[in-house]
Amino acid sequence: MSYQNAIVLQDLPELKPVRVPIGETGIILIREQQTVKAFQSNCPHAGAPLEQGAIYEGRLVCPWHKANFSLADGSMCEPLALSDLKRYPVRVENGMVQVDPEPLPPLVSFAADQQQPVYVILGTGAAGAAAAWTLRREGFTGKLILVDRESEAPYDRTVLTKFVPSGKMEISEVPPLLQEDFAPFAERIQADVERLDTAKRLLHFADGETLSYDKLLIATGGIPQRPDFEGKALFGVHVLRSIEQADTLLNEIDKTRRLVIIGNSFIGMELASALRAQEIEVQVIARDPLPFKKQFGEQIARYFRELHEENGVKFTEGEIASLQGNNGHVTAVVLKDGQIVPADIVLLATGIAPGTSFIHDIPLNEDGSLTTSETLKVADDVWAAGDIATFPTATGTLRIEHFRVAEQQGRVAAKNMLGENDPWDRVPFFWTTQFGTRYEYVGHAGEWDDYQLFGSLQEKKFVALYGQKGQLAAVTSCGMYTFTAELVLRMQKPVTLAEAAALAEKALY
């Protein structure tokens, strides 16, 4: 071992991550009384600087996407990261903290040396990828089969509306969700599932092949919807969910330099902001003039509308009557009030439906989702996670279409496939990127009777609290990433609105 001086112990604050360079290796040190731990300095998910993270109840929380890790050994406790932290040998000699830049061995070595039992994960988006990694991380050594329609899966879909259309990332650079060294530990099948037979534990594929399983996770995600109006199938009319769809859409936009987006959902508005960075002309058509009003309320929704307008996005309010075309290609959007909006390319950002059309022997909800138990089980030896799952909460059932929720549910379902009885009770979190700035949302507020804003929307540093009967239900924020990192864990237990207000004021001022 080759220990190098890092920092004087007394200069290292208690329970606050501090980044220290050890040669060319970035390392964070965390002190708890006289004990010091050394971990990699950047989150293994997207490289966030962990010295800007929060420490709360024995965990280190990533400031960007809220992955959290055990202070005891660096093990991953909650995604987005699908990796433990690298650990480094550390010692204290004569009051000086010293670190060896050669990392310690990984906490766990994966194994896949058995052919039985057979666990199948159907769909390898956020939920499926997290489940696959968790199964191996938790010691499953049987046969693991990943089934997906897309050959490129699993990959990070969130960049398709954020970094790829803004020009910050090439389509070929879309990051995978599982590292390359995971490949030997799972068999991958590209196929369309036509029917699930839970009685026989059998998947029927469209090509006539079948696959039997001992345990199954359904994580098929959402299917973009094409509303039922004339012209929806014209050339030039797109939906956006996959790499292939993104590539086709962006190649067409490169030629025309303009796009009409129908709907002001997160996908539509993220794409609008990203394309404006490329000086693409963007027109948004939506029934509600204020994007995200349901999630954030009128004040913040109006802020987002004005932000987009200031950056050149044009808005038209109204309902779609039809799409016009010429020689099979879209030429205009016709509104019910008679307005005609010229359009060379149209994106339908009009929501998704759960990808469950192959399921006939498990009851489906009206929206096509599967109602799960608190442990995400939907039938004997079958679990569901992600966009297709409607799950129980203390205030009723919910279905949440967020990337991090899907990964968390995939992880919980995987543990329960291995015999644990872990309830799904995590605090939801999502983020959106608008014109290069991250906005975060913690919790879930279908409705609220109290709303308090701290900080400044215009300065892009604020905390908005949504309360229900004196309790904190949700938080929207910007520029407060360490604060929200701690809040993700704090909100696992009830927090009063007064407590949240005090925390927000302390963090801001």
Side-chain angles (χ1 to χ4, degrees):
M1 290 187 176
S2 177
Y3 283 95
Q4 300 180 28
N5 290 340
I7 191 173
V8 175
L9 178 64
Q10 295 306 313
D11 292 340
L12 191 60
E14 186 90 1
L15 290 177
K16 178 176 172 42
V18 173
R19 190 182 193 276
V20 294
I22 302 295
E24 297 181 357
T25 304
I27 290 173
I28 58 166
L29 299 177
I30 300 173
R31 174 188 176 189
E32 189 168 6
Q33 296 180 357
Q34 299 304 304
T35 300
V36 179
K37 298 290 178 67
F39 302 111
Q40 68 185 81
S41 61
N42 294 93
C43 181
H45 166 241
L50 291 176
E51 70 270 17
Q52 297 177 18
I55 291 177
Y56 187 74
E57 293 191 342
R59 293 188 184 184
L60 170 64
V61 188
C62 169
W64 291 359
H65 305 110
K66 317 313 177 194
N68 52 81
F69 307 89
S70 169
L71 292 184
D73 58 8
S75 58
M76 192 273 281
C77 301
E78 295 283 351
L80 290 182
L82 298 180
S83 174
D84 299 321
L85 293 179
K86 290 181 182 178
R87 305 166 299 142
Y88 296 87
V90 60
R91 69 186 183 188
V92 179
E93 292 283 343
N94 299 319
M96 174 67 70
V97 179
Q98 300 178 332
V99 180
D100 186 336
E102 185 67 28
L104 293 165
L107 288 169
V108 172
S109 296
F110 291 175
D113 52 6
Q114 304 295 321
Q115 293 299 304
Q116 297 292 330
V118 177
Y119 285 13
V120 174
I121 297 175
L122 186 52
T124 55
W133 185 86
T134 300
L135 285 170
R136 291 306 190 202
R137 174 62 177 78
E138 297 299 314
F140 178 66
T141 60
K143 191 169 187 177
L144 177 59
I145 302 176
L146 312 182
V147 181
D148 204 291
R149 293 189 300 268
E150 296 184 60
S151 59
E152 299 92 346
Y155 58 87
D156 186 349
R157 297 182 194 277
T158 67
V159 303
L160 299 180
T161 56
K162 295 178 173 72
F163 305 125
V164 174
S166 69
K168 295 180 179 179
M169 181 183 292
E170 296 294 330
I171 200 81
S172 60
E173 297 172 337
V174 173
L177 294 180
L178 295 170
Q179 297 178 11
E180 288 185 9
D181 59 6
F182 188 82
F185 302 104
E187 177 183 342
R188 303 185 187 214
I189 297 176
Q190 184 183 359
D192 283 314
V193 178
E194 195 171 70
R195 182 167 60 90
L196 167 63
D197 186 336
T198 58
K200 295 182 179 179
R201 290 183 171 82
L202 202 63
L203 290 170
H204 293 262
F205 298 133
D207 62 4
E209 296 294 318
T210 60
L211 175 64
S212 60
Y213 63 84
D214 294 293
K215 293 186 179 181
L216 172 69
L217 172 63
I218 306 173
T220 41
I223 307 297
Q225 295 302 286
R226 291 178 178 264
D228 190 18
F229 46 64
E230 184 180 349
K232 64 182 181 180
L234 288 167
F235 287 109
V237 180
H238 297 262
V239 294
L240 177 55
R241 184 75 170 179
S242 68
I243 281 183
E244 183 179 2
Q245 290 166 344
D247 195 26
T248 301
L249 173 64
L250 295 176
N251 283 333
E252 289 193 18
I253 292 173
D254 281 343
K255 298 173 185 176
T256 65
R257 306 300 294 175
R258 61 180 183 175
L259 172 68
V260 173
I261 300 173
I262 296 177
N264 55 8
S265 65
F266 285 101
I267 284 179
M269 300 307 289
E270 285 185 352
L271 186 65
S273 71
L275 290 175
R276 287 302 299 149
Q278 301 268 56
E279 298 185 348
I280 303 297
E281 181 182 319
V282 179
Q283 176 96 33
V284 174
I285 303 175
R287 288 179 295 181
D288 193 317
L290 299 180
F292 320 144
K293 181 178 177 180
K294 180 180 178 181
Q295 292 84 5
F296 299 150
E298 183 167 343
Q299 182 183 21
I300 294 179
R302 190 170 301 282
Y303 161 79
F304 278 116
R305 168 72 181 253
E306 293 171 355
L307 178 66
H308 276 259
E309 288 178 325
E310 290 167 2
N311 283 276
V313 178
K314 299 176 182 178
F315 288 84
T316 299
E317 298 166 30
E319 294 190 47
I320 310 301
S322 64
L323 302 181
Q324 289 182 344
N326 184 26
N327 294 325
H329 197 284
V330 67
T331 57
V333 180
V334 181
L335 304 186
K336 289 183 178 180
D337 63 5
Q339 292 186 74
I340 297 178
V341 180
D344 303 301
I345 307 172
V346 173
L347 173 69
L348 300 176
T350 47
I352 64 170
T356 54
S357 60
F358 63 94
I359 298 174
H360 306 289
D361 57 358
I362 305 174
L364 298 177
N365 298 312
E366 287 187 12
D367 63 359
S369 66
L370 291 162
T371 295
T372 76
S373 69
E374 65 175 6
T375 60
L376 302 177
K377 200 168 190 178
V378 294
D380 288 344
D381 296 319
V382 181
W383 289 258
D387 293 351
I388 65 169
T390 293
F391 52 89
T393 73
T395 57
T397 58
L398 286 178
R399 184 170 75 87
I400 296 179
E401 299 168 359
H402 299 331
F403 189 89
R404 185 173 187 266
V405 168
E407 278 209 348
Q408 288 176 303
Q409 288 185 341
R411 180 165 168 75
V412 168
K415 288 186 173 184
N416 294 335
M417 292 169 77
L418 294 172
E420 295 191 27
N421 195 38
D422 191 3
W424 164 250
D425 60 359
R426 309 312 195 258
V427 174
F429 164 82
F430 75 88
W431 74 98
T432 183
T433 301
Q434 306 288 331
F435 299 101
T437 300
R438 283 170 45 84
Y439 299 85
E440 301 185 329
Y441 184 89
V442 183
H444 179 82
E447 57 184 22
W448 54 89
D449 57 26
D450 199 348
Y451 166 80
Q452 299 178 29
L453 178 68
F454 302 86
S456 169
L457 296 174
Q458 285 66 38
E459 294 177 8
K460 296 182 173 59
K461 189 170 185 179
F462 67 86
V463 175
L465 306 179
Y466 304 82
Q468 182 70 14
K469 297 180 180 178
Q471 297 293 309
L472 179 65
V475 177
T476 301
S477 70
C478 181
M480 302 296 295
Y481 311 126
T482 304
F483 170 72
T484 52
E486 180 177 328
L487 205 61
V488 163
L489 293 185
R490 274 189 179 271
M491 288 176 65
Q492 283 295 141
K493 298 176 182 178
V495 178
T496 68
L497 199 59
E499 290 171 335
L503 290 169
E505 287 187 317
K506 180 180 179 181
L508 275 164
Y509 309 120

